[in-house]
Amino acid sequence: MRARAAESMNVPTFAGKGEITFAAKAKPTPGPGQLLVQVRANAVCGSERGQYFHCSQVTPGHEIVGTVVEAGAAAKTPVGELGAIYLMDFCGACRWCRSGWTNQCLAKRADMGFSHDGGYGPFVLVNENIFFPVGADIAADLATMLLDVMGTGAHAVERAQSVHHDIRSLAVLGAGPIGLGVAAMARIILGDAVQVVVTDYNVYRLRLAEKLGARAVDLNHGTIAEAFAGCEMPDVAIDTTGKASARQQAIELLAKRGVLVCVGHGEGLNLEVSKHLIAPERSVLGSEYFPFADLAKNAARLRAHRAYLGQIITHRFPVADIKAAFDLFWKGDTGKVIVEQEGV
Ligand SMILES: [Zn+2]
Ligand SMILES: [Zn+2]
């Protein structure tokens, strides 16, 4: 049999300092258990700041939705299937994978778009275990919501639920895409009766939080504490900012038995253990991405709330304009920005 001639694909290269050039890269061939996915949409993420400004050896993009175009030996997913790609290539065999906590895998093989080529190129090669079939009835751009926005958002809310069984109010610190995702998933999971408050300095994003049914608090005109003056203190605060000052205000603000969930990586938190934790029986939890199995739960939620969740996507760019997509996103007046492959 004649060897297949190596095909190439045109991919954006993150050269650093915001420079993105297009260059040819070999189109991958799926090995055993692997899938070649033709990317249709990839959402821009704040975690790509380092790659954008300080260059990347791999093709970035980790909120990927695409169609299987080739399956390697033993892969069971049919060609033509639309799916979302889970960031972490989990081993499936370690203690945490076996109990469903794939986001805590002890032998992770890849973080797609960070350690291995991701979704801003036209094709991405994945191990089949991280491909989640979304079904043909969900549009590719909307399906990207299943990843960082719904997945990370829902997991943070469910982390709080794991220690608090009577959540009546929830504060979300930061109205970036993760904060908006947390707010939306809080409304979907906890119900409309639970008060959701979102704080930020960015007025565009605060308006978006209001559209999602949250009370928006503009920190240009007051502190988080002032926003709660005269109200019951929140049972849960979810920090998506990664800022020590935000976390500090949140821990001071929480009701008795309240839960602070830290989602945004970054700075620290100064805990006075007696005052903040022991006496009021508060909890502080971390929340990292989400377990793979949550994708099925969240696909059902997405089907039930398409238009509501679709509001979080505010801009779409063809991949040829990927730099414009990032530059707009960094300015902050956006919800989720989607980069779409043309002609797919
Ligand atoms: Zn992301
Ligand atoms: Zn594992």
Side-chain angles (χ1 to χ4, degrees):
M1 199 169 76
R2 214 160 54 119
R4 193 169 72 174
E7 287 179 68
S8 70
M9 57 181 186
N10 198 26
V11 300
T13 304
F14 286 45
K17 297 187 177 138
E19 195 188 317
I20 301 179
T21 54
F22 280 80
K25 201 174 228 181
K27 182 178 163 187
T29 305
Q34 292 185 317
L35 303 171
L36 184 67
V37 174
Q38 184 167 22
V39 178
R40 294 182 58 188
N42 190 113
V44 172
C45 183
S47 64
E48 291 160 338
R49 187 173 283 276
Q51 294 176 308
Y52 185 79
F53 289 106
H54 306 296
C55 95
S56 174
Q57 300 305 312
V58 302
T59 305
H62 61 272
E63 299 186 38
I64 314 165
V65 170
T67 308
V68 175
V69 288
E70 205 178 333
K76 295 180 184 70
T77 308
V79 166
E81 187 86 51
L82 180 74
I85 311 297
Y86 184 78
L87 165 74
M88 302 170 175
D89 188 355
F90 54 95
C91 77
C94 74
R95 173 185 176 188
W96 297 118
C97 282
R98 279 189 281 116
S99 56
W101 301 102
T102 57
N103 58 330
Q104 295 299 326
C105 176
L106 297 169
K108 192 167 61 168
R109 295 178 288 226
D111 278 327
M112 301 305 296
F114 292 102
S115 66
H116 290 62
D117 285 340
Y120 292 128
F123 297 93
V124 63
L125 182 68
V126 300
N127 286 327
E128 192 177 28
N129 60 305
I130 60 168
F131 182 87
F132 173 76
V134 298
D137 64 311
I138 299 181
D141 59 346
L142 190 61
T144 64
M145 292 296 96
L146 290 169
L147 298 164
D148 290 28
V149 170
M150 294 182 71
T152 304
H155 185 54
V157 172
E158 288 167 353
R159 291 282 286 144
Q161 281 184 306
S162 73
V163 292
H164 200 307
H165 307 298
D166 179 28
I167 300 170
R168 297 178 185 185
S169 61
L170 181 142
V172 184
L173 289 81
I178 297 290
L180 294 171
V182 170
M185 297 317 288
R187 302 255 308 156
I188 289 171
I189 294 168
L190 302 173
D192 292 346
V194 172
Q195 183 178 211
V196 176
V197 176
V198 177
T199 67
D200 205 298
Y201 294 90
N202 181 299
V203 174
Y204 180 98
R205 287 177 167 174
L206 288 171
R207 293 294 86 81
L208 209 43
E210 280 178 337
K211 281 195 201 168
L212 295 170
R215 180 158 78 90
V217 171
D218 183 346
L219 297 176
N220 296 298
H221 302 297
T223 64
I224 299 172
E226 282 164 10
F228 282 91
C231 308
E232 230 179 285
M233 296 294 106
D235 289 321
V236 175
I238 300 186
D239 176 54
T240 69
T241 70
K243 300 282 185 209
S245 60
R247 288 176 188 161
Q248 204 64 43
Q249 289 183 65
I251 193 82
E252 306 279 352
L253 188 71
L254 281 174
K256 282 180 176 286
R257 305 200 65 257
V259 188
L260 170 62
V261 184
C262 299
V263 182
H265 284 272
E267 299 172 4
L269 169 66
N270 181 25
L271 279 176
E272 289 175 54
V273 175
S274 289
K275 175 185 153 191
H276 291 142
L277 294 185
I278 299 174
E281 289 197 339
R282 294 194 189 109
S283 311
V284 179
L285 303 179
S287 186
E288 173 79 336
Y289 202 53
F290 58 94
F292 183 83
D294 286 6
L295 284 162
K297 253 185 337 193
N298 286 329
R301 290 167 174 154
L302 183 55
R303 283 191 170 84
H305 302 278
R306 288 171 204 256
Y308 173 73
L309 290 161
Q311 297 178 97
I312 296 173
I313 301 174
T314 56
H315 298 81
R316 294 167 178 80
F317 287 83
V319 70
D321 297 334
I322 185 170
K323 183 173 164 52
F326 271 93
D327 288 341
L328 180 74
F329 184 65
W330 300 139
K331 280 187 191 146
D333 287 352
T334 70
K336 209 62 172 155
V337 175
I338 309 288
V339 171
E340 295 176 313
Q341 296 289 333
E342 287 154 294
V344 180

